[in-house]
Amino acid sequence: MKIAASDFDGTLYRKNQKVTMEDLAAIAHWRAAGNLFGIATGRGLVLILQRIYEYNIPFDFLVCTNGAAVFDDKLNILANHILPTQIQQDLLSQKMVEHCQHVIFFTTKKAYLYPIYNEICIDSANLNIPKITLQEAFRLSGLIQITLFYPDAEETAVAQSILQNHYSGSLYISSNQCFVDITACGVDKATGLQELLKEQHWNHMPLLTIGDDKNDLPMIERFQGYTVESAADLIKKTAVKVYPSVGDLLLDHLTS
């Protein structure tokens, strides 16, 4: 028995923003052979479940918000890591935050959207997450991740670098596409997967990981993982092998 953990955005959810029938068939084949499959994502639970239900993706576990929350196949919480109290007040006072278009605040099972500009690219109604005011954002408790959305990849990289320097040793700052994600110090996809293996007593089982962006690097490095052809060169250099798709990875390891 083997375990496969796939990133979602850019990895499983990629060609024209969809999950392909070929990948879904490979996941079904993988699980029918007695293996386990799950998603390791920067999305919060409520956001990843929307896509899971839309595409009817089977799963045995979920590592959400970059490892800050881990769930089993029944959505029982196996692990979660709360950000420091009132961190949102300090974060939102940082100059780089003024340049982002909106902020999403995640608790273990919920999400809230604070729009800094009205002309935002995310529709909170379609995502089924409520909009909140700045004052309401300050009153939130039990936060596990704060996500900043920037207009382009260049601004995202600059913001990540600045915030990483400012919060070094106290928070973990990662990025993917145009999002900067803030979690508790020492929390990433690799630590989330390690907690999953421990809590489910799966440490003896081989674990395959696949991702395409910077926030996937910890799990790719820790578990000698894989990437997809659309990934950046940095990710390809780190990965053990590059696959055309998640499905290709799963089918390849069914026979190895």
Side-chain angles (χ1 to χ4, degrees), residues 8 12-24 27 51 55 57:
F8 189 69
L12 184 60
Y13 186 64
R14 51 192 181 85
K15 291 184 178 179
N16 299 317
Q17 295 296 288
K18 66 179 182 180
V19 179
T20 67
M21 294 301 296
E22 292 80 5
D23 280 346
L24 290 172
I27 293 169
R51 298 304 184 195
Y55 290 99
I57 305 169

mmCIF file of all heavy atoms in Angstrom, residues 8 12-24 27 51 55 57:
data_model
loop_
_atom_site.group_PDB
_atom_site.id
_atom_site.type_symbol
_atom_site.label_atom_id
_atom_site.label_comp_id
_atom_site.label_asym_id
_atom_site.label_seq_id
_atom_site.Cartn_x
_atom_site.Cartn_y
_atom_site.Cartn_z
ATOM 1 N N PHE A 8 -3.187 20.937 -5.284
ATOM 2 C CA PHE A 8 -4.391 21.114 -6.102
ATOM 3 C C PHE A 8 -4.166 22.131 -7.220
ATOM 4 O O PHE A 8 -4.019 21.774 -8.368
ATOM 5 C CB PHE A 8 -5.578 21.511 -5.228
ATOM 6 C CG PHE A 8 -6.886 21.490 -5.976
ATOM 7 C CD1 PHE A 8 -7.436 20.292 -6.393
ATOM 8 C CD2 PHE A 8 -7.553 22.666 -6.282
ATOM 9 C CE1 PHE A 8 -8.625 20.258 -7.106
ATOM 10 C CE2 PHE A 8 -8.740 22.649 -6.998
ATOM 11 C CZ PHE A 8 -9.281 21.437 -7.403
ATOM 12 N N LEU A 12 -3.180 19.289 -9.781
ATOM 13 C CA LEU A 12 -4.350 18.483 -10.146
ATOM 14 C C LEU A 12 -5.373 19.335 -10.893
ATOM 15 O O LEU A 12 -6.034 18.865 -11.815
ATOM 16 C CB LEU A 12 -4.976 17.877 -8.886
ATOM 17 C CG LEU A 12 -6.155 16.919 -9.090
ATOM 18 C CD1 LEU A 12 -5.752 15.721 -9.940
ATOM 19 C CD2 LEU A 12 -6.706 16.457 -7.744
ATOM 20 N N TYR A 13 -5.490 20.584 -10.493
ATOM 21 C CA TYR A 13 -6.436 21.540 -11.092
ATOM 22 C C TYR A 13 -5.629 22.477 -11.962
ATOM 23 O O TYR A 13 -5.092 23.469 -11.518
ATOM 24 C CB TYR A 13 -7.116 22.311 -9.954
ATOM 25 C CG TYR A 13 -8.227 23.263 -10.333
ATOM 26 C CD1 TYR A 13 -9.400 22.803 -10.911
ATOM 27 C CD2 TYR A 13 -8.119 24.617 -10.040
ATOM 28 C CE1 TYR A 13 -10.432 23.681 -11.207
ATOM 29 C CE2 TYR A 13 -9.147 25.495 -10.333
ATOM 30 C CZ TYR A 13 -10.295 25.020 -10.915
ATOM 31 O OH TYR A 13 -11.327 25.890 -11.205
ATOM 32 N N ARG A 14 -5.523 22.147 -13.267
ATOM 33 C CA ARG A 14 -4.568 22.887 -14.065
ATOM 34 C C ARG A 14 -5.076 23.255 -15.446
ATOM 35 O O ARG A 14 -5.369 24.411 -15.694
ATOM 36 C CB ARG A 14 -3.238 22.134 -14.162
ATOM 37 C CG ARG A 14 -3.369 20.690 -14.583
ATOM 38 C CD ARG A 14 -2.111 19.860 -14.410
ATOM 39 N NE ARG A 14 -2.344 18.514 -14.874
ATOM 40 C CZ ARG A 14 -2.230 18.123 -16.121
ATOM 41 N NH1 ARG A 14 -1.844 18.981 -17.041
ATOM 42 N NH2 ARG A 14 -2.486 16.883 -16.474
ATOM 43 N N LYS A 15 -5.219 22.311 -16.369
ATOM 44 C CA LYS A 15 -5.549 22.660 -17.749
ATOM 45 C C LYS A 15 -6.864 23.427 -17.835
ATOM 46 O O LYS A 15 -7.934 22.873 -17.601
ATOM 47 C CB LYS A 15 -5.618 21.389 -18.604
ATOM 48 C CG LYS A 15 -4.255 20.729 -18.824
ATOM 49 C CD LYS A 15 -4.385 19.544 -19.755
ATOM 50 C CE LYS A 15 -3.019 18.922 -20.015
ATOM 51 N NZ LYS A 15 -3.136 17.743 -20.900
ATOM 52 N N ASN A 16 -6.768 24.721 -18.188
ATOM 53 C CA ASN A 16 -7.955 25.568 -18.285
ATOM 54 C C ASN A 16 -8.790 25.535 -17.010
ATOM 55 O O ASN A 16 -10.015 25.549 -17.040
ATOM 56 C CB ASN A 16 -8.818 25.154 -19.487
ATOM 57 C CG ASN A 16 -8.071 25.287 -20.802
ATOM 58 O OD1 ASN A 16 -7.375 26.270 -21.024
ATOM 59 N ND2 ASN A 16 -8.185 24.278 -21.660
ATOM 60 N N GLN A 17 -8.081 25.462 -15.870
ATOM 61 C CA GLN A 17 -8.734 25.473 -14.566
ATOM 62 C C GLN A 17 -9.776 24.363 -14.433
ATOM 63 O O GLN A 17 -10.972 24.605 -14.221
ATOM 64 C CB GLN A 17 -9.362 26.840 -14.300
ATOM 65 C CG GLN A 17 -8.368 27.967 -14.191
ATOM 66 C CD GLN A 17 -7.421 27.804 -12.991
ATOM 67 O OE1 GLN A 17 -7.815 27.970 -11.850
ATOM 68 N NE2 GLN A 17 -6.172 27.467 -13.260
ATOM 69 N N LYS A 18 -9.334 23.146 -14.544
ATOM 70 C CA LYS A 18 -10.226 22.010 -14.344
ATOM 71 C C LYS A 18 -9.421 20.786 -13.924
ATOM 72 O O LYS A 18 -8.191 20.756 -14.045
ATOM 73 C CB LYS A 18 -11.017 21.703 -15.617
ATOM 74 C CG LYS A 18 -10.163 21.213 -16.785
ATOM 75 C CD LYS A 18 -11.031 20.907 -17.996
ATOM 76 C CE LYS A 18 -10.187 20.358 -19.155
ATOM 77 N NZ LYS A 18 -11.021 20.057 -20.336
ATOM 78 N N VAL A 19 -10.130 19.785 -13.414
ATOM 79 C CA VAL A 19 -9.546 18.484 -13.121
ATOM 80 C C VAL A 19 -9.938 17.571 -14.272
ATOM 81 O O VAL A 19 -11.120 17.440 -14.608
ATOM 82 C CB VAL A 19 -10.066 17.922 -11.786
ATOM 83 C CG1 VAL A 19 -9.461 16.553 -11.508
ATOM 84 C CG2 VAL A 19 -9.758 18.888 -10.642
ATOM 85 N N THR A 20 -8.962 16.933 -14.899
ATOM 86 C CA THR A 20 -9.254 16.155 -16.096
ATOM 87 C C THR A 20 -9.863 14.792 -15.766
ATOM 88 O O THR A 20 -9.641 14.237 -14.679
ATOM 89 C CB THR A 20 -7.982 15.927 -16.932
ATOM 90 O OG1 THR A 20 -7.087 15.067 -16.206
ATOM 91 C CG2 THR A 20 -7.289 17.247 -17.242
ATOM 92 N N MET A 21 -10.598 14.262 -16.711
ATOM 93 C CA MET A 21 -11.186 12.936 -16.551
ATOM 94 C C MET A 21 -10.092 11.876 -16.436
ATOM 95 O O MET A 21 -10.249 10.875 -15.729
ATOM 96 C CB MET A 21 -12.099 12.629 -17.735
ATOM 97 C CG MET A 21 -13.337 13.521 -17.812
ATOM 98 S SD MET A 21 -14.371 13.393 -16.323
ATOM 99 C CE MET A 21 -14.879 11.684 -16.418
ATOM 100 N N GLU A 22 -8.987 12.104 -17.134
ATOM 101 C CA GLU A 22 -7.872 11.156 -17.078
ATOM 102 C C GLU A 22 -7.276 11.076 -15.676
ATOM 103 O O GLU A 22 -6.968 9.977 -15.179
ATOM 104 C CB GLU A 22 -6.793 11.549 -18.088
ATOM 105 C CG GLU A 22 -7.196 11.397 -19.540
ATOM 106 C CD GLU A 22 -8.045 12.548 -20.072
ATOM 107 O OE1 GLU A 22 -8.246 13.537 -19.332
ATOM 108 O OE2 GLU A 22 -8.511 12.447 -21.219
ATOM 109 N N ASP A 23 -7.128 12.223 -15.030
ATOM 110 C CA ASP A 23 -6.605 12.221 -13.663
ATOM 111 C C ASP A 23 -7.588 11.568 -12.699
ATOM 112 O O ASP A 23 -7.191 10.813 -11.795
ATOM 113 C CB ASP A 23 -6.300 13.653 -13.206
ATOM 114 C CG ASP A 23 -4.968 14.164 -13.741
ATOM 115 O OD1 ASP A 23 -4.165 13.350 -14.236
ATOM 116 O OD2 ASP A 23 -4.717 15.385 -13.661
ATOM 117 N N LEU A 24 -8.876 11.842 -12.866
ATOM 118 C CA LEU A 24 -9.883 11.233 -11.997
ATOM 119 C C LEU A 24 -9.901 9.716 -12.163
ATOM 120 O O LEU A 24 -10.026 8.978 -11.178
ATOM 121 C CB LEU A 24 -11.259 11.813 -12.304
ATOM 122 C CG LEU A 24 -11.484 13.273 -11.882
ATOM 123 C CD1 LEU A 24 -12.809 13.785 -12.415
ATOM 124 C CD2 LEU A 24 -11.417 13.422 -10.368
ATOM 125 N N ILE A 27 -6.873 8.311 -10.352
ATOM 126 C CA ILE A 27 -7.090 8.303 -8.899
ATOM 127 C C ILE A 27 -7.955 7.106 -8.505
ATOM 128 O O ILE A 27 -7.675 6.404 -7.526
ATOM 129 C CB ILE A 27 -7.739 9.621 -8.434
ATOM 130 C CG1 ILE A 27 -6.770 10.785 -8.623
ATOM 131 C CG2 ILE A 27 -8.167 9.522 -6.967
ATOM 132 C CD1 ILE A 27 -7.403 12.161 -8.440
ATOM 133 N N ARG A 51 -14.345 22.381 -4.718
ATOM 134 C CA ARG A 51 -13.824 21.743 -5.922
ATOM 135 C C ARG A 51 -13.921 20.215 -5.841
ATOM 136 O O ARG A 51 -14.172 19.544 -6.841
ATOM 137 C CB ARG A 51 -12.379 22.162 -6.167
ATOM 138 C CG ARG A 51 -12.198 23.642 -6.414
ATOM 139 C CD ARG A 51 -13.050 24.127 -7.566
ATOM 140 N NE ARG A 51 -12.816 25.522 -7.868
ATOM 141 C CZ ARG A 51 -13.609 26.274 -8.620
ATOM 142 N NH1 ARG A 51 -14.706 25.746 -9.144
ATOM 143 N NH2 ARG A 51 -13.332 27.538 -8.846
ATOM 144 N N TYR A 55 -16.010 18.160 -8.739
ATOM 145 C CA TYR A 55 -15.419 17.156 -9.615
ATOM 146 C C TYR A 55 -15.555 15.732 -9.071
ATOM 147 O O TYR A 55 -15.087 14.793 -9.706
ATOM 148 C CB TYR A 55 -13.943 17.477 -9.849
ATOM 149 C CG TYR A 55 -13.735 18.699 -10.699
ATOM 150 C CD1 TYR A 55 -13.438 19.937 -10.125
ATOM 151 C CD2 TYR A 55 -13.858 18.637 -12.094
ATOM 152 C CE1 TYR A 55 -13.253 21.071 -10.910
ATOM 153 C CE2 TYR A 55 -13.679 19.763 -12.880
ATOM 154 C CZ TYR A 55 -13.380 20.971 -12.286
ATOM 155 O OH TYR A 55 -13.205 22.084 -13.057
ATOM 156 N N ILE A 57 -14.068 14.291 -6.493
ATOM 157 C CA ILE A 57 -12.728 13.752 -6.282
ATOM 158 C C ILE A 57 -12.721 12.900 -5.009
ATOM 159 O O ILE A 57 -13.000 13.410 -3.919
ATOM 160 C CB ILE A 57 -11.691 14.885 -6.135
ATOM 161 C CG1 ILE A 57 -11.750 15.834 -7.339
ATOM 162 C CG2 ILE A 57 -10.292 14.314 -5.965
ATOM 163 C CD1 ILE A 57 -10.958 17.115 -7.154
#
